[in-house]
Amino acid sequence: MIPIRVETAAGCIYVALSDDAVPDFTPFRIALERALGPYNLSQVKVAHVIELKEQANWKLVMENARECHHCSARHPEFNVLFRPRSFMEGRRDP
């Protein structure tokens, strides 16, 4: 059996594949709970699930999904659904 380290913060679960993972999780937990606390993630429920089948390299799909510097110029319809600037600034604009 391999020992692992499991931490929770603001309704999220984090797993390290070592029981002596560094750095210390405490500063991250404090910052995360401060940022996500108002959203009460431990009480959320799945409202909708979509299964997408990508015929592509999974790493490229994930990297493309995590950055969207080009979205405002190339995907304006996406910005109607997701407002990256207001999200990043911590605002809850409708």
Side-chain angles (χ1 to χ4, degrees):
M1 182 175 278
I2 299 173
I4 63 170
R5 181 171 159 192
V6 178
E7 301 278 352
T8 60
C12 300
I13 301 169
Y14 294 85
V15 177
L17 300 178
S18 170
D19 63 347
D20 63 348
V22 288
D24 180 28
F25 192 78
T26 304
F28 178 74
R29 177 187 291 108
I30 292 168
L32 188 69
E33 288 177 347
R34 189 176 305 138
L36 296 182
Y39 300 101
N40 202 14
L41 294 180
S42 63
Q43 300 299 313
V44 298
K45 294 181 171 71
V46 176
H48 185 72
V49 175
I50 297 174
E51 183 177 323
L52 298 174
K53 294 188 179 186
E54 299 280 354
Q55 292 189 359
N57 178 301
W58 70 269
K59 189 170 185 292
L60 293 177
V61 172
M62 289 304 298
E63 287 176 352
N64 211 7
R66 290 178 176 230
E67 81 66 32
C68 206
H69 301 290
H70 71 278
C71 285
S72 59
R74 296 290 179 225
H75 307 290
E77 65 283 353
F78 177 70
N79 284 339
V80 171
L81 301 172
F82 177 70
R83 298 172 180 228
R85 286 194 182 103
S86 48
F87 176 77
M88 294 305 284
E89 294 168 3
R91 296 192 324 246
R92 293 191 201 174
D93 298 341

